[in-house]
């Protein structure tokens, strides 16, 4: 029986799908097709490959500390999947991320096969995907590195390529001759015409020990520093945290550059299993249009949208009516606080807008108007000088931290559910249409003791209304005043 540990690489900010994707809520957690997020789909896809000779162990999710509660909430919706979250204190690319997963996988003295996938891809043919992954697991059992190569459907210039050679082997794999960087249009056409090239999917199958040995051979600096960070790790609930100071010293490098591209011609066996399963990495809004359900005019419409005499366009509305008349080949994406209009062929350059926003110190590059927290969410629905109005939703049984503010007072009005309010020495219960006042500087807490979501309207008033004006005394989720996210 082959033991498999799914590994989901869940970092990244997805800036090319702004304004829907933000660094505080990146694309892997978005529902862009179907009813589940890209992250959830990735978990479910790999956990569906069990067979008579393949047994699934716990899934290992490597994600940023900042996104831990987003990942945990979405994991809880997948009732049958057991997973552990490995939290990167700082971003160090995919090679250290996979190393954390490998070190976790060998903790109990075993050496499972790791099936590694990014969290932000789509697959339309689950059956073909399952067969290819099962072949890859069997091919990796004896210590080979297996990479999934996407059978190209056009001369794409936005992907790296894998050149394969020789005859097909026992489990449908081919030898990898070399890796090629993103080509120009002419070279890409030559690759496709040759029949010997596939797109690099970023999906790998290999034993944990195979990765650790190859990394030690090609990049001992990454292997050593990641091991040092792992040795002094801490854990609580489903979270495992490597040491921040040591992790920050790890060189930032991708799996491909650190190991994979160095394998051809070395003593490390690397093979490729072709995959034709409707794969897309959703790297830009044009890719979302490609995988979407197009109408007879080539339009992909989502949300409250209308169009007239419009063709080949993506129109996405999240909070209001969006309409288009007489346009072609556009991307129009609306959120509560930002609207994007772009030529579909230029949509990969949206990250330029994100860069401008960041340099301008505007918050729209990082957070939506509606911000998710471990206890629920809040939506800042109005704001001017010295006041802010929020709609706050608290999950059943959840509570905000015991806290105070130096610069603002707050009025709370319950519009749905029951609120348990701590204000100084008093603890009171409020129900629908009841309200309370939290004076400036008073220690307070909001809790939902009920079985349905609690919703309140909060009116803040004061000289400073920033989210960092929080002094925490107790917090269920381990947050500090300095980490108010």
């Amino acid at each position: 029986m082959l033991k498999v540990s799914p590994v989901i690489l869940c970092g990244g900010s997805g800036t090319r799908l702004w304004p829907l994707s933000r660094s505080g809520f990146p694309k892997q957690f978005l529902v862009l097709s179907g009813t589940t997020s890209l992250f959830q789909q990735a978990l479910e896809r790999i956990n569906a490959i069990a067979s008579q000779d393949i047994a699934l162990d716990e899934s290992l999710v490597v994600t940023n500390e900042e996104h831990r509660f987003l990942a945990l909430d979405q994991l809880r919706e997948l009732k049958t999947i057991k997973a552990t979250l490995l939290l990167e204190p700082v971003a160090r690319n995919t090679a250290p991320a996979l190393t954390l997963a490998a070190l976790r996988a060998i903790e109990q003295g075993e050496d499972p096969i790791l099936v590694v996938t990014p969290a932000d891809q789509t697959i339309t043919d689950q059956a073909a995907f399952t067969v290819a992954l099962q072949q890859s697991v069997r091919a990796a059992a004896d210590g080979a590195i297996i990479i999934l190569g996407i059978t190209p459907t056009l001369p794409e210039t936005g992907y790296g390529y894998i050149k394969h050679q020789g005859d097909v082997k026992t489990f449908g794999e081919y030898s990898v001759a070399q890796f090629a960087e993103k080509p120009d249009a002419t070279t890409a056409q030559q690759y496709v015409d040759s029949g010997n090239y596939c797109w690099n999917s970023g999906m790998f199958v290999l034993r944990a020990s195979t990765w650790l040995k190859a990394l030690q051979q090609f990049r001992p600096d990454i292997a050593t520093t990641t091991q040092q960070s792992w040795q002094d790790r801490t854990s609580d609930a489903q979270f495992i945290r490597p040491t921040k100071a040591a992790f920050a010293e790890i060189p930032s490098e991708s799996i491909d550059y650190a190991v994979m591209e160095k394998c051809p011609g070395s003593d490390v066996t690397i093979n490729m299993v072709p995959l034709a399963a409707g794969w897309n990495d959703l790297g830009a809004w044009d890719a979302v249009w490609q995988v979407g359900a197009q109408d007879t005019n080539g339009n992909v419409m989502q949300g409250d949208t209308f169009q007239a005499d419009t063709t080949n366009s993506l129109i996405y509305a999240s909070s209001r009516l969006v309409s288009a008349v007489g346009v072609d080949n556009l991307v129009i994406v609306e959120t509560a606080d930002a609207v994007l209009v772009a030529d579909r062929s230029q949509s990969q350059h949206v990250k330029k807008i994100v860069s401008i926003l960041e340099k301008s110190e505007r918050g729209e590059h990082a957070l939506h108007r509606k911000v998710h927290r471990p206890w629920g969410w809040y939506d800042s629905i109005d704001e001017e000088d010295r006041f802010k109005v929020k709609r706050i939703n608290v999950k059943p049984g959840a509570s905000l931290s015991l806290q105070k503010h130096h610069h603002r007072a707050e009025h709370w009005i319950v519009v749905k559910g029951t609120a348990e309010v701590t204000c100084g020495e008093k603890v009171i219960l409020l129900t629908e249409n009841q309200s309370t006042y939290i004076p400036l500087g008073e220690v307070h807490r909001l809790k939902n003791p009920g079985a349905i979501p609690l919703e309140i309207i909060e009116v803040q008033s004061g000289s400073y209304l920033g989210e960092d004006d929080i002094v925490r005394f107790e917090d269920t989720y381990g947050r500090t005043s300095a980490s108010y996210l």
Side-chain angles (χ1 to χ4, degrees), residues 78-95:
L78 305 177
K79 305 297 184 184
T80 62
I81 294 177
K82 177 186 176 183
T84 294
L85 287 95
L86 311 176
L87 304 182
E88 300 172 296
V90 292
R92 281 296 176 266
N93 216 314
T94 54

Side-chain angles (χ1 to χ4, degrees), residues 121-166:
Q121 302 180 347
T122 60
I123 294 289
T124 58
D125 189 341
Q126 175 66 49
F129 179 81
T130 298
V131 169
L133 261 291
Q134 290 171 341
Q135 290 176 313
S136 300
V137 167
R138 294 168 187 135
D142 290 333
I145 295 175
I146 306 298
I147 183 168
L148 276 293
I150 306 302
T151 305
T153 55
L154 73 164
E156 175 62 57
T157 60
Y159 301 141
Y161 282 71
I162 308 164
K163 183 180 181 181
H164 58 86
Q165 64 184 5

Side-chain angles (χ1 to χ4, degrees), residues 240-256:
I240 298 179
R241 293 178 169 88
T243 305
K244 183 175 182 178
F247 198 84
E249 296 300 317
I250 301 172
S252 179
E253 193 66 279
S254 69
I255 292 169
D256 288 295

Side-chain angles (χ1 to χ4, degrees), residues 358-428:
E358 190 170 6
K359 290 177 181 177
S360 302
E361 298 184 349
R362 295 189 54 142
E364 292 94 335
H365 78 280
L367 296 174
H368 287 273
R369 199 185 78 175
K370 183 177 181 179
V371 179
H372 291 264
R373 291 288 187 254
W375 42 260
W377 52 261
Y378 70 81
D379 186 0
S380 299
I381 57 180
D382 197 9
E383 180 178 3
E384 287 191 15
D385 186 40
R386 298 190 65 86
F387 85 87
K388 180 186 291 187
V389 181
K390 286 183 177 180
R391 181 181 165 198
I392 297 177
N393 187 288
V394 185
K395 300 172 187 176
S399 67
L400 282 67
S401 58
L402 184 67
Q403 59 183 250
K404 72 175 183 179
H405 310 294
H406 289 301
H407 304 288
R408 70 176 186 253
E410 297 173 342
H411 297 258
W412 293 347
I413 305 164
V414 177
V415 295
K416 184 170 66 176
T418 300
E420 180 183 297
V421 177
T422 299
C423 185
E425 298 298 321
K426 299 186 300 180
V427 178
I428 60 174

Side-chain angles (χ1 to χ4, degrees), residues 189-311:
Q189 187 64 60
Q190 292 172 352
Y191 287 167
V192 174
D193 291 343
S194 75
N196 293 327
Y197 286 83
C198 289
W199 296 334
N200 187 344
S201 70
M203 289 186 281
F204 310 95
V205 182
L206 71 175
R207 287 199 180 275
S209 62
T210 298
W211 169 255
L212 294 173
K213 180 180 177 181
L215 185 69
Q216 184 64 48
Q217 176 176 340
F218 296 121
R219 288 300 302 268
D221 53 340
I222 295 177
T224 300
T225 49
T226 308
Q227 177 69 52
Q228 290 170 348
S229 179
W230 180 254
Q231 285 176 347
D232 296 324
R233 66 194 176 277
T234 59
S235 62
D236 58 275
Q238 289 175 268
F239 300 138
I240 298 179
R241 293 178 169 88
T243 305
K244 183 175 182 178
F247 198 84
E249 296 300 317
I250 301 172
S252 179
E253 193 66 279
S254 69
I255 292 169
D256 288 295
Y257 288 158
V259 171
M260 300 303 169
E261 294 186 4
K262 296 179 172 65
C263 291
S266 76
D267 61 351
V268 179
T269 301
I270 184 165
N271 296 322
M272 185 202 76
V273 169
L275 175 64
W279 172 90
N280 198 302
D281 73 343
L282 297 184
W285 281 113
D286 181 55
V288 177
W289 174 83
Q290 291 174 18
V291 302
Q294 298 177 18
D295 63 19
T296 55
N297 293 317
N299 297 314
V300 175
M301 316 280 286
Q302 186 156 337
D304 191 6
T305 60
F306 288 98
Q307 62 83 21
D309 303 322
T310 292
T311 54

